[in-house]
Amino acid sequence: MSSPSLDEYRELADSLNPLAVQQYLAANDWQLETQVPEVRQIWRLNDEARIMLPLATDFVDFAQRFRDTLHSLAIVYDWDPAHLAEKITATRADLFFVRFDQMMIDGTLPFKQAEKSLDALFKMLKAAATSADDPSHSHRGRRSSTVTDFLDEDVRLGHTKRGSFVFTVVTRLGDPLPESDAPVIRVTPFQRRVMETLATGLYAAKDLSLNWDPRAVERAAELGLSANLVESLQDLTESDSLRELDLSFDWAASEPRPEVPASRIVVNRDAMLGLPRVRERLVRREEPPHTETIVGQVRSLTREDSSGDDQEETTIVLSAEVRGRTRKIHVPLSGEDYDWAIFAHRSRLPFTVTGNLAFERGAWRLTGPVTVDSSFLQHQRR
């Protein structure tokens, strides 16, 4: 294997700062020997190694000296720059790795799959942050500023790792509390609580997909489970070429290791097949059937022969915004109501219908009694 290039260490130095390296050294058996405040520090690892850590970022040779320090650390541990970056970052950050085990060319991922995966990861982190902030939250509507600040400031996409294709999600835990002689009540940072919730929820989703337990739905908040979390997991696993989805956590060394069921969750094909049932039961709990008036565009119309007689079952799929989210809703219609749906589809006009909205058999559906308001369409037909 070729040695890391100067550019790799330059990129590494640009992505880190002396404080991050200092925190890593202090948490990993290095002792501070001497220092010139705000200029440099000398650290020693038992009798094995000594390094100089530059602190004065305004010195003209700071960049070169900082690269030399990182290079020295890589030699001490026999790590490449990417692995060294992971270890240093993890001192004040939790790392979440998402590895796709699938057939791929040269370790690359199709662009469309990568785009969907990034959207799914954002949805996953949003769901975990919402549950961590308020376990009773419906996962609809507005989130608190705590959740939005976390998503905007504290979570980042890190460098990819070698080995199939791996997304690295970096959750920064913020600055450590200043040292004090006064007793300090330890409070778990919200960022860590989000990652704990994520690990617990992913483990529960995988476990329930393989071993269904209806009682677990009533403990969804305790388990970090939500329909959005499971839906995001489905989005990550929808590729037919995916053999396994490997999800793992590296916990920041500066915080106590969390008590989670597992720090590595592997979702295989059997588990993927069980995810739709888990999501459907959670949706039913979070959004029980309720009467809703839907206004949207008719996207498709189908006619199917019903078994046992000559009647046809007619259904439309309506694309509409419901409580801030665009959904495809299946609506059974017949007779004149179906004719109005055809007219709306051909004319590209909005279609209005009222019924009981529920999530059943893996899709949103309106169930009876279903009422069509055709007044607008009648006016347009004149």
Side-chain angles (χ1 to χ4, degrees):
M1 184 179 70
S2 60
S3 300
S5 67
L6 179 62
D7 285 342
E8 289 181 86
Y9 283 105
R10 184 178 289 113
E11 291 176 4
L12 177 60
D14 289 342
S15 67
L16 297 173
N17 60 58
L19 178 60
V21 177
Q22 178 183 325
Q23 292 169 351
Y24 172 79
L25 297 172
N28 288 274
D29 299 326
W30 290 77
Q31 293 87 41
L32 179 61
E33 279 192 348
T34 61
Q35 65 174 325
V36 178
E38 300 182 1
V39 177
R40 68 174 183 272
Q41 295 176 333
I42 305 298
W43 291 81
R44 177 174 55 83
L45 179 62
N46 301 321
D47 295 325
E48 300 174 29
R50 296 170 74 243
I51 64 169
M52 188 276 288
L53 176 63
L55 304 178
T57 57
D58 57 340
F59 279 23
V60 294
D61 62 344
F62 168 78
Q64 177 63 52
R65 299 292 171 244
F66 192 42
R67 288 199 298 270
D68 290 344
T69 299
L70 297 173
H71 187 206
S72 298
L73 279 173
I75 293 174
V76 169
Y77 288 111
D78 192 22
W79 291 338
D80 61 30
H83 192 61
L84 178 61
E86 285 177 18
K87 291 299 184 180
I88 292 176
T89 304
T91 305
R92 283 302 299 171
D94 290 331
L95 304 183
F96 175 45
F97 301 110
V98 180
R99 185 174 74 87
F100 296 84
D101 180 5
Q102 67 184 53
M103 295 294 296
M104 54 181 66
I105 301 173
D106 298 331
T108 60
L109 202 67
F111 196 86
K112 190 170 289 293
Q113 183 183 359
E115 181 184 25
K116 290 181 178 179
S117 298
L118 288 174
D119 289 340
L121 284 173
F122 183 81
K123 183 192 301 182
M124 179 179 285
L125 289 160
K126 184 177 182 180
T130 301
S131 295
D133 181 54
D134 179 5
S136 64
H137 197 284
S138 65
H139 290 263
R140 300 190 303 271
R142 294 178 62 86
R143 270 70 171 173
S144 73
S145 60
T146 302
V147 174
T148 55
D149 288 347
F150 168 80
L151 296 172
D152 290 343
E153 303 295 336
D154 297 324
V155 65
R156 294 284 189 272
L157 190 66
H159 294 288
T160 57
K161 291 181 65 177
R162 295 175 181 172
S164 295
F165 195 94
V166 185
F167 285 113
T168 303
V169 178
V170 180
T171 301
R172 302 186 302 189
L173 303 186
D175 295 330
L177 293 174
E179 294 185 5
S180 172
D181 294 333
V184 177
I185 300 176
R186 191 170 191 86
V187 178
T188 302
F190 176 72
Q191 300 93 328
R192 164 57 65 84
R193 290 199 286 119
V194 173
M195 300 309 281
E196 288 181 14
T197 302
L198 179 59
T200 302
L202 290 173
Y203 179 86
K206 181 250 181 124
D207 186 51
L208 287 173
S209 69
L210 295 172
N211 307 288
W212 174 248
D213 180 358
R215 295 170 298 179
V217 175
E218 301 306 317
R219 300 172 49 231
E222 175 189 340
L223 296 173
L225 275 175
S226 66
N228 285 351
L229 181 75
V230 178
E231 183 180 9
S232 68
L233 195 53
Q234 283 185 267
D235 292 343
L236 287 173
T237 57
E238 67 177 12
S239 173
D240 292 335
S241 62
L242 184 66
R243 292 183 288 260
E244 288 183 342
L245 184 69
D246 191 332
L247 308 164
S248 61
F249 295 83
D250 273 359
W251 304 104
S254 58
E255 291 289 325
R257 190 174 180 85
E259 295 182 4
V260 295
S263 291
R264 184 183 180 214
I265 302 102
V266 178
V267 182
N268 58 22
R269 296 301 304 180
D270 289 338
M272 295 176 205
L273 293 174
L275 289 174
R277 175 175 60 177
V278 179
R279 179 193 170 207
E280 182 165 329
R281 300 300 175 88
L282 288 169
V283 171
R284 288 184 190 176
R285 177 181 178 274
E286 295 172 10
E287 299 190 45
H290 57 281
T291 301
E292 189 91 37
T293 297
I294 308 295
V295 181
Q297 295 291 323
V298 179
R299 294 303 182 193
S300 64
L301 308 98
T302 60
R303 292 180 183 269
E304 296 180 1
D305 294 332
S306 62
S307 57
D309 51 42
D310 295 331
Q311 295 181 348
E312 290 181 319
E313 293 180 353
T314 50
T315 302
I316 70 168
V317 175
L318 201 63
S319 178
E321 186 171 298
V322 180
R323 299 188 180 185
R325 296 185 62 184
T326 300
R327 288 171 170 160
K328 292 181 179 179
I329 303 166
H330 297 248
V331 185
L333 295 176
S334 60
E336 187 179 5
D337 290 340
Y338 189 75
D339 292 336
W340 281 117
I342 295 174
F343 174 72
H345 181 61
R346 289 175 175 170
S347 305
R348 298 184 178 180
L349 294 171
F351 189 74
T352 305
V353 62
T354 301
N356 293 324
L357 182 64
F359 191 79
E360 298 177 350
R361 305 191 306 280
W364 287 97
R365 304 177 189 276
L366 274 191
T367 59
V370 174
T371 305
V372 172
D373 181 355
S374 61
S375 56
F376 174 77
L377 298 174
Q378 291 177 28
H379 179 74
Q380 295 297 314
R381 199 175 220 181
R382 291 173 186 169

